[in-house]
């Protein structure tokens, strides 16, 4: 097991390098960049001082260099004017749009995104798991049909549309302004118990909006997987031998039906973050989603690249965690590639 863990960690390093290269290449595909567009605009306005600063930043970060040299400087294997810096050294570059280091721009928003998306994942599992098990063990009952209808509605309703409907009814019926992840007075303020309480009081609305479709999909999948397991021969045999129903359900079928969910952890972490970007714009959430969209539109390459690499890191770590959990959950899985019999 230890050898497997070490081997997987070593594989993660070249994987992230390849992802970083593809990410940087996609960001650089559109013609020009943020500074070249800004320099052209300043030149037309005759703003010499600002144009000199933009030219300095362009040379400092090597944006006038060939593509491969820019990539090497970004990840930190090529020295810049102030020595080696880059992702490897923990330097994410400069946000040209915000005129600040990327670390300062994404710091608080990244934390807000983590809190929001962790809450969404927790909500999805806590709601979907008991409902899916109940629907599978009460097949074709009225409650099963009702939960099936709920699942279809959740899958068919886009998250941003649900957010718009919720905002409309909250404003028209109750006179409440639904939006934001905290009170505006706490924006930019240091963390305190009052700020944490404000985040918690605002958190439940985006959690329900973002988690609805994922919860509905997980209910349908868990129900289908569990029904398939309940019809297998080993379940019929255990039931015929008099094993209690609850013990039989928990020990074998439920455990086997969880495999697809464990395997999807690698996709669940980044998909929740990327999927909540439009909802964050609609609800005016202070997360990384709206900032990532703005960075991609304005070609703020270091800010956009940092966000995309964060999503890639979540994918790689999530896949690693899911592989380890699958090995613990299902004894039929062999880590040595089938050499053990």
């Amino acid at each position: 097991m230890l050898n497997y863990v070490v081997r997987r960690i070593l594989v993660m390093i070249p994987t992230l390098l390849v992802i970083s290269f593809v990410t940087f290449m996609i960001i650089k595909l559109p013609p020009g960049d943020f500074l070249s567009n800004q320099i052209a605009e300043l030149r037309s306005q005759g703003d010499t001082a600002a144009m000199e600063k933009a030219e300095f930043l362009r040379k400092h970060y090597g944006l006038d260099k060939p593509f491969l040299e820019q990539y090497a400087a970004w990840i930190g294997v090529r020295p810049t004017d102030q020595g080696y810096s880059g992702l490897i050294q923990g330097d994410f570059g400069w946000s040209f749009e915000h005129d600040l280091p990327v670390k300062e721009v994404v710091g608080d928003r990244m934390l807000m995104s983590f809190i929001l998306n962790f809450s969404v994942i927790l909500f999805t599992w806590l709601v979907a798991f008991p409902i899916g098990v109940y629907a599978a063990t009460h097949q074709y009952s009225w409650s099963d049909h009702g939960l099936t209808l709920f699942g279809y509605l959740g899958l068919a309703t886009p998250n941003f549309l649900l957010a718009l409907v919720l905002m409309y009814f909250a404003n028209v019926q109750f006179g409440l302004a639904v939006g934001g992840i905290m009170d505006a007075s706490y924006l930019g303020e240091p963390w305190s118990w009052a700020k944490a309480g404000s985040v918690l009081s605002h958190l439940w609305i985006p959690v329900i909006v973002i988690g609805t479709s994922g919860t509905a999909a997980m209910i349908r999948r868990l129900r289908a997987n569990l029904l398939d397991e309940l019809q297998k021969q080993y379940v019929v045999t255990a039931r015929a031998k008099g094993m209690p129903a609850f013990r039989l359900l928990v020990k074998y079928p439920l455990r086997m039906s969880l495999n697809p969910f464990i395997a999807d952890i690698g996709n669940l972490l980044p998909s929740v973050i990327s999927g909540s970007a439009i909802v964050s714009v609609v609800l005016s959430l202070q997360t990384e989603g709206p900032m990532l969209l703005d960075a991609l539109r304005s070609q703020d390459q270091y800010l956009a690249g940092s966000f995309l690499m964060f999503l890639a890191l979540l994918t790689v770590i999530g896949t690693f965690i899911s592989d380890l959990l699958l090995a613990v959950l299902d004894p039929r899985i062999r880590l040595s590639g089938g050499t053990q019999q």
Side-chain angles (χ1 to χ4, degrees):
M1 186 69 174
L2 180 60
N3 293 334
Y4 173 76
V5 173
V6 173
R7 186 166 64 250
R8 285 300 309 273
I9 293 176
L10 293 178
V11 171
M12 290 167 59
I13 297 175
T15 301
L16 289 174
L17 287 176
V18 172
I19 294 175
S20 67
F21 181 81
V22 175
T23 299
F24 194 77
M25 181 178 63
I26 293 176
I27 292 176
K28 297 294 291 184
L29 280 179
D33 52 55
F34 183 88
L35 289 179
S36 62
N37 298 334
Q38 187 181 48
I39 290 173
E41 182 179 353
L42 293 173
R43 184 177 288 114
S44 64
Q45 298 175 356
D47 193 343
T48 305
M51 189 168 61
E52 289 179 355
K53 180 181 179 180
E55 286 282 6
F56 168 77
L57 290 174
R58 182 175 177 82
K59 292 181 179 179
H60 176 74
Y61 286 99
L63 299 183
D64 54 343
K65 303 293 183 181
F67 169 79
L68 291 179
E69 293 188 21
Q70 292 186 43
Y71 169 73
W74 180 53
I75 63 174
V77 297
R78 175 185 173 274
T80 59
D81 294 343
Q82 296 182 352
Y84 284 91
S85 61
L87 295 179
I88 298 178
Q89 286 77 27
D91 182 5
F92 299 102
W94 187 270
S95 173
F96 304 117
E97 183 176 8
H98 298 271
D99 199 22
L100 289 170
V102 172
K103 280 184 177 181
E104 298 182 14
V105 176
V106 304
D108 204 33
R109 286 188 177 246
M110 199 69 75
L111 178 60
M112 290 293 99
S113 300
F114 175 79
I115 294 175
L116 172 62
N117 295 296
F118 178 79
S119 302
V120 170
I121 294 173
L122 189 63
F123 168 82
T124 300
W125 277 89
L126 290 178
V127 174
F129 191 80
I131 293 179
V133 173
Y134 181 84
T137 54
H138 296 75
Q139 188 181 15
Y140 302 138
S141 64
W142 284 105
S143 57
D144 182 29
H145 290 306
L147 294 173
T148 299
L149 177 62
F150 166 75
Y152 285 137
L153 290 176
L155 290 173
T157 306
N159 290 337
F160 71 89
L161 179 60
L162 181 61
L164 291 173
V165 172
L166 182 62
M167 292 177 64
Y168 172 79
F169 278 102
N171 189 22
V172 173
Q173 300 295 330
F174 303 102
L176 300 176
V178 178
I181 202 170
M182 68 179 73
D183 292 333
S185 59
Y186 293 108
L187 294 176
E189 297 294 326
W191 279 94
S192 62
W193 288 109
K195 183 176 181 178
S198 177
V199 171
L200 292 177
S201 64
H202 287 74
L203 193 61
W204 64 274
I205 296 177
V207 165
I208 294 176
V209 171
I210 299 172
T212 300
S213 60
T215 302
M218 187 169 290
I219 290 173
R220 301 301 303 158
R221 293 184 59 190
L222 181 57
R223 178 183 180 275
N225 293 337
L226 189 53
L227 284 175
D228 182 63
E229 290 293 328
L230 288 173
Q231 296 172 3
K232 290 185 176 179
Q233 188 62 41
Y234 74 91
V235 177
V236 178
T237 303
R239 188 180 294 117
K241 289 184 177 182
M243 180 176 287
F246 181 77
R247 181 184 177 191
L248 172 62
L249 175 67
V250 174
K251 189 172 183 180
Y252 297 111
L254 183 58
R255 184 177 179 183
M256 296 300 102
S257 63
L258 290 179
N259 283 7
F261 300 99
I262 301 299
D264 276 352
I265 291 179
N267 297 325
L268 182 63
L269 295 176
S271 64
V272 170
I273 295 179
S274 59
S276 62
I278 299 179
V279 176
S280 299
V281 174
V282 174
L283 292 176
S284 302
L285 303 180
Q286 294 81 20
T287 59
E288 93 291 342
M291 184 174 288
L292 173 58
L293 295 177
D294 292 338
L296 292 173
R297 281 196 296 262
S298 64
Q299 294 181 280
D300 194 354
Q301 63 182 46
Y302 294 119
L303 181 58
S306 299
F307 277 129
L308 295 176
M309 285 304 301
F310 175 68
L311 294 179
L313 180 63
L314 286 180
T315 304
V316 173
I317 294 177
T319 303
F320 173 68
I321 294 175
S322 66
D323 289 345
L324 294 181
L325 292 178
L326 279 174
V328 175
L329 181 68
D330 194 343
R332 298 172 298 180
I333 297 176
R334 297 292 181 259
L335 302 181
S336 56
T339 58
Q340 298 180 8
Q341 300 294 333

